[in-house]
């Protein structure tokens, strides 16, 4: 499963629609399972592509029952009545919706409609399954539940899937590969952990997960690290990411808030391979499972730190922050997120 | 899709335009008439007794409106009927502008009083329709009712009178001619256009047709009407609380006529209609049908209120003069009414 | 999977389809609408070569100036009164606990769909100065010694009164949804700042409803400019009547200038309306979720609203139609409500009269043909405008709303000129039902196109796209998804046009000939003496009942459309 992720207007939905054949590209080729689907203006019509699709608004036909919605594609593909009935009851069973075959979409809840849309998409066992922000119209609890259902379904059926979303959680949880897009261009692609651990630039770092971006000056590059000065004094080293993009002695690095340990007062002598900074706690926000600290560094910049309870520092305290150089990632230049 | 419906719809519409079958005295006969349906019905019944295979269809409009409809259709060179029923003056003026009518001398035209015949031989006289005063008997006692045309200008009838508007009615031209031409020329100097100015000052109400005036009189909304006898007849049949006055100055009588079009789709039936109109059979039912006096000299006739034809002063109108001066008369009327 | 070489370009077929649809639409719209529209203005320059001098003559003619002034006065007076009464009643129904709301709503609908000349008939019977039933009753109650008055319907203000029920319902129907969709928080804010109920209404509620008030009022204004039946029956000289009279006198120049003046005034009114709602989003209080409209507590004042509502129901529905029903059962109207004066003969007369049957049949055929063509054309034009990117599609949009500004009498005049002259004269259409069909089509195309557009907008494009993805071609998608989904709206449009076209009067009366008597022209002919008032009342009551029943069916169809598109059916 591939996820396309990016801010709205980045072209991810257009890409999906080009794959589905709903939009005609001016140039370029689309190849799926070894078949050329479009080449320049010559295009295979969407109905011939044997794909399944789940729409953001579900796009269930309101004048048809659940059964007829699901069997629509099967009928068009020439299945006989018995096959259709068997297939529909099979997919409805997978979705725990067997009791609802004779209902109209208007009589179903949002989550149930989503399940029907999913059942419709997989009914003809398409080679390729497309998802266009399928969960964005659901409330938070349902969204999480459906996320796991889609994941287990996809693993069970093993279909090639393309999943468009603007939610990093969905992308991280569901995908084998994530493609981060911006302004119609692919910024980075890779496995979820790879993207999360080594974002290519500030945009990716900020879009996939929380992060702190720190600018460094007077940068020096060595074999395994890049080191530079903080605006407010002190030095910092990054052991991951790309070392080749430092310009004019400057670079940016990213460190996730959860990678940072925080302690009140001075820490003992730093170990090798650890960045150590001191600052003042400006604010502490307790949200249950996670505690957010906003620590003001001497140069005026806030660093966000997340820990699990208990609370390790109070507002106004001077604290020491420590984080692994290997988990500090040097970024390519690019627009800040 | 909806194409099926659409097609049958327009086919059905087109079917209405289909040509009339034209064989001897059968098929449809289409008559444009200024005479109301209830008057035509009796005539058609009599006609069908003679010619059962002709299916008579009538389309009724007030005279002046019908005149305009015909004018436009003749300009488009497409008269939509076989026969037209209008007064003699109106047919004459149409015939003067368009050679659209067929000359026809029906059998029995020789029996028609000569003064009523059309010198051009186009229109066939059906009956003489006269003007009188109709009043509502609930609102006005017989003793108090006006007895002359001049009485209508008296202040006691303020806002009580209705008459037809020459911009819509053709018949009222006969009354205009009577008041502004005939009476002054015959020593009644009190009559002139000023008469209408006085009526206007007395709050006379102008209506599009004499039928409307009859209903306004019957309802009491306008208890006095300058009315055609034919409508008094209808009121009598219907049991309206109305009665009639024969004004002392006399009653102008216009000649209700029929004529056939040159391009009639069913000339045999049209000729049969004109033959029937002047036949003694038709003339005998004319008083009950069109509510007017027969044109054959030998038929004795008494009006619905019992008055014999010989007891009233009917002044036959000068149709030729009216045909010629129609527009000028209408304008003069409008001028008199806005003084 | 299919070989690429065997498939044709998808965009290619779509383009061919939309280009063909565009071509058909533009040809029809130019022929049916633009051509007559141009003729209205060009006649003095073509027909009689009088040119601008006919305009100069028009404005020197005292009668024409008076007709123009009367038209403006009637439309203006009607607009102001409609705005006041319509706003008060809409507010009462939408936001207060007044009684008899359902009755008021039904009356509003009936006032809008039933032909206006029926009300004129009822009011003439009621308020004729000498024998009108209301006048007789008032004279008795007030002990007046006069034989006439106190009411006189045959006046300019009588005309305004006659047209008032439909004007009020324009404002009412535009306002009720606006009052309902208002966010109660806006009013709460005012109340929290210390304003009392009345102050809140005048400073928050009414200003928020301004675009809707404006829309309804200007619609009422434009509609009453175009009104023909009532002024003709009441004898009030307005421009529509002048056009007809000029045509009766075959004075095409005067007809043209009078039409042009009338069309000009209507266009200004409609442009003002567009101008007035141009910042509609500023007033938009609907944020996607439905508010439960809150009932404001007006105290005892709510009873005033209830009385006002009942008064409206009495004047717009009960009294006029009740009077017509009573008269329709009378032998002689002169004998009034007396024993032995009752009969069903008048209903028998209209059921057995051959020419009435023919007129009814023709009207039903014309209305059905018109409704079918208008709703199909509406879908085609709507499809091109909403779903394609065809160049010039906004032109379709503009032409198709043009007839809103053209009164039926003016349109009929243009058709006469068009089909009396070459090249169209050779078609031989003058005096045939086809020319009436052309007039009806032009009059009702705006309604069809607007309804179809909103129906298409409500069908999300993803429903069609889903069909494509799941294996259906363009045609299958059109047949199985798009058409079934807009079918209820299509049926609604069909029935609405059908029901409004059946009693069309203003164009029909100008164009009538032997085979083109319609329900309305034959009714008017019966009313004008060819049968009499009692028969006319029986005829009118029959039309009223029929039209109401068909409209009920139309509302049922729209209810289904609403359920499918996930909306609640609007409940007026």
């Amino acid at each position: 499963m591939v996820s396309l992720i990016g801010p709205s207007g980045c072209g991810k939905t257009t890409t999906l629609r080009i794959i589905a054949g709903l939009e005609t590209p001016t140039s370029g080729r689309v190849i799926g399972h070894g078949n050329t689907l479009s080449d320049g203006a010559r295009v295979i019509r969407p109905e011939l592509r044997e794909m399944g699709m789940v729409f953001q608004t579900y796009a269930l036909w309101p004048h048809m029952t659940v059964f007829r919605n699901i069997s629509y594609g099967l009928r068009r593909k020439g299945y006989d009545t018995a096959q259709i009935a068997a297939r529909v009851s099979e997919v409805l069973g997978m979705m725990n919706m067997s009791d609802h075959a004779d209902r109209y979409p208007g009589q179903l809840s949002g989550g149930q409609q989503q399940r029907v849309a999913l059942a419709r998409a997989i009914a003809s066992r398409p080679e390729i399954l497309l998802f266009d922000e399928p969960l964005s119209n659901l409330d938070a609890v349902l969204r999480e539940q459906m996320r796991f259902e889609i994941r287990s379904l996809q693993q069970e059926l093993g279909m090639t899937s393309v999943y468009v979303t603007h939610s990093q959680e969905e992308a991280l949880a569901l995908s084998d590969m994530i493609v981060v897009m911006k302004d119609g261009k692919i910024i980075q692609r890779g496995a979820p952990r790879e993207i999360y651990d080594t974002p290519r630039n500030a945009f990716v770092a900020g879009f996939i997960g929380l992060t702190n971006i720190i600018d460094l000056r007077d940068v020096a590059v060595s074999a395994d690290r890049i080191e530079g000065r903080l605006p407010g004094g002190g030095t910092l080293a990054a052991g991951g990411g790309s070392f080749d993009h430092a310009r004019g002695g400057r670079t940016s690095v990213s460190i996730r808030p959860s990678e940072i340990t925080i302690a009140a007062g001075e820490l003992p002598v730093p170990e090798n391979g650890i960045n150590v900074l001191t600052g003042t706690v400006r604010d502490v926000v307790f949200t249950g499972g996670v505690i957010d600290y906003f620590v003001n560094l001497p140069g005026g910049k806030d660093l966000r730190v997340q820990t699990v309870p208990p609370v390790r520092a109070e507002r106004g305290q001077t604290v020491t922050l420590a984080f692994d150089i290997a988990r500090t990632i040097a970024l390519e230049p690019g627009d800040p997120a | 899709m909806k194409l099926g419906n659409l097609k049958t719809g327009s086919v059905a519409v087109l079917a209405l335009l289909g040509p009339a079958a034209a064989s001897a005295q059968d098929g449809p006969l289409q008559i444009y008439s200024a005479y109301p349906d209830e008057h035509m019905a009796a005539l058609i019944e009599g006609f069908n007794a003679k010619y059962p295979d002709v299916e008579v269809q009538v389309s009724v409009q007030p005279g002046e409106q019908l005149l305009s409809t015909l004018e436009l259709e003749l300009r488009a060179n497409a008269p939509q009927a076989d026969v037209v029923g209008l007064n003699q003056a109106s047919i004459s003026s149409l015939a003067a502008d368009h050679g659209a009518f067929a000359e026809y001398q029906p059998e029995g035209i020789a029996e028609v009083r000569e003064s009523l015949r059309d010198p051009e031989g186009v229109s066939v006289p059906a009956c003489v329709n006269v003007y009188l005063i109709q009043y509502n008997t609930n609102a006005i006692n017989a003793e108090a009712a006006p007895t002359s045309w001049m009485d209508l200008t008296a202040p006691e009838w303020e806002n009580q009178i209705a008459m037809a508007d020459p911009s819509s009615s053709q018949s009222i031209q006969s009354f205009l001619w009577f008041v502004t031409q005939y009476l002054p020329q015959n020593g009644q100097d009190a009559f002139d256009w000023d008469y209408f100015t006085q009526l206007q000052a007395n709050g006379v109400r102008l209506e599009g047709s004499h039928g409307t005036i009859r209903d306004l009189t019957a309802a009491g909304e306008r208890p006095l009407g300058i009315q055609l006898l034919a409508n008094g007849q209808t009121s009598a049949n219907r049991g309206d609380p109305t009665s009639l006055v024969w004004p002392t100055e006399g009653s102008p009588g216009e000649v209700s006529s029929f004529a056939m079009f040159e391009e009639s789709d069913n000339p045999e039936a049209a000729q049969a209609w004109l033959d029937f109109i002047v036949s003694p059979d038709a003339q005998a039912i004319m008083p009950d049908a069109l509510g007017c006096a027969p044109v054959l000299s030998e038929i004795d006739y008494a009006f619905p209120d019992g008055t014999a034809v010989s007891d009233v002063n009917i002044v036959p109108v000068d149709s030729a003069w009216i045909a010629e001066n129609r527009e000028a008369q209408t304008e003069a009327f409008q001028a008199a009414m806005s003084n | 999977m299919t070989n690429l070489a065997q498939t044709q370009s998808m965009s290619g077929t779509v383009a061919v389809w939309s280009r063909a649809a565009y071509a058909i639409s533009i040809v029809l719209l130019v022929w049916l609408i633009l051509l007559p529209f141009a003729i209205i203005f060009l006649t003095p320059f073509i027909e009689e070569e009088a040119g601008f001098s006919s305009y100069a003559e028009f404005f020197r003619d005292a009668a024409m100036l008076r007709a123009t002034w009367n038209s403006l006065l009637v439309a203006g007076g009607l607009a102001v009164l409609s705005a006041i009464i319509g706003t008060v009643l809409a507010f009462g129904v939408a936001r207060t606990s007044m009684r008899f709301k359902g009755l008021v709503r039904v009356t509003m609908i009936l006032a809008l769909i039933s032909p206006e000349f029926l009300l004129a008939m009822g009011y003439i019977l009621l308020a004729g100065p000498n024998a009108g039933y209301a006048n007789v009753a008032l004279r008795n109650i007030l002990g007046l010694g006069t034989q006439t008055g106190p009411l006189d319907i045959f006046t300019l203000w009588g005309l305004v009164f006659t047209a008032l029920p439909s004007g009020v319902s324009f404002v009412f129907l535009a306002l009720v949804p606006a009052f309902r969709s208002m966010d109660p928080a806006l009013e709460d804010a005012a109340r929290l700042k210390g304003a009392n109920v009345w102050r809140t209404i005048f400073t928050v509620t009414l200003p928020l409803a301004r675009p809707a008030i404006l829309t309804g009022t200007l619609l009422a204004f434009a509609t009453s400019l175009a009104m023909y039946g009532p002024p003709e029956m009441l004898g009030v000289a307005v421009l529509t009547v002048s056009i007809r009279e000029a045509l009766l006198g075959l004075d095409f120049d005067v007809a043209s200038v009078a039409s042009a003046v009338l069309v000009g005034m209507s266009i200004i009114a409609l442009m003002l309306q567009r101008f007035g709602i141009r910042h509609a989003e500023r007033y938009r209080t609907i944020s996607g979720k439905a508010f439960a409209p809150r009932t404001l507590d007006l105290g005892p004042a709510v009873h005033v609203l209830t009385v006002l509502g009942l008064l409206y129901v009495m004047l717009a529905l009960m009294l006029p139609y009740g009077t017509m029903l009573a008269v329709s059962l009378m032998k002689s109207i002169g004998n009034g409500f007396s024993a032995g004066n009752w009969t069903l003969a008048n209903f028998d007369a209209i059921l057995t009269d051959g020419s009435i049957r023919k007129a009814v049949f023709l009207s039903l055929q014309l209305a059905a043909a018109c409704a079918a063509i208008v709703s199909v054309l509406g879908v085609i034009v709507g499809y091109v405008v909403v779903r394609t990117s065809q160049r010039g599609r906004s032109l379709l949009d503009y032409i198709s709303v043009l007839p809103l500004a053209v009164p039926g009498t003016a349109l009929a005049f243009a058709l006469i000129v068009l089909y009396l002259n070459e090249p169209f004269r050779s078609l031989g259409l003058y005096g045939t039902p086809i020319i009436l069909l052309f007039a009806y089509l032009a009059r009702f195309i705006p309604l069809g196109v607007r309804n179809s557009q909103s129906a298409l907008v409500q069908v999300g494009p993803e429903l069609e796209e889903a069909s494509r993805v799941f294996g259906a071609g363009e045609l299958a998608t059109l047949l199985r998804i798009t058409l079934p989904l807009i079918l209820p709206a299509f049926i609604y449009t069909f029935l609405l046009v059908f029901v409004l076209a059946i009693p069309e009067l203003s164009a029909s009366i100008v164009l009538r000939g032997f085979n083109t008597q319609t329900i309305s022209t034959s009714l008017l002919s019966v009313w004008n003496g060819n049968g009499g008032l009692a028969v006319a009342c029986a005829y009118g009551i029959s039309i009223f009942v029929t039209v109401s029943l068909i409209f009920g069916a139309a509302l049922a169809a729209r209810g289904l459309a609403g359920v499918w598109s996930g909306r609640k059916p609007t409940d007026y």
Side-chain angles (χ1 to χ4, degrees), chain A residues 6-17:
Chain A
S8 39
C10 72
K12 57 189 191 294
T13 294
T14 307
T15 308
L16 192 77
R17 290 167 57 81

Side-chain angles (χ1 to χ4, degrees), chain C residues 472-493:
Chain C
E474 268 178 272
L475 189 64
T477 300
L478 188 70
L479 292 180
R480 290 173 190 282
I481 306 294
T482 316
L483 288 183
L485 280 176
I486 62 171
L487 189 64
F490 183 88
I491 293 173
Y492 172 71
T493 307

Side-chain angles (χ1 to χ4, degrees), chain B residues 11-23:
Chain B
V11 166
V13 170
L14 285 171
L16 281 172
L17 320 175
S23 64

Side-chain angles (χ1 to χ4, degrees), chain A residues 201-223:
Chain A
N201 61 16
F203 168 72
V204 177
F207 203 81
I208 308 286
L210 281 174
T211 198
N212 294 294
I213 307 285
I214 304 166
D215 293 327
L216 300 180
R217 291 181 198 164
D218 305 331
V219 188
V221 180
S222 62

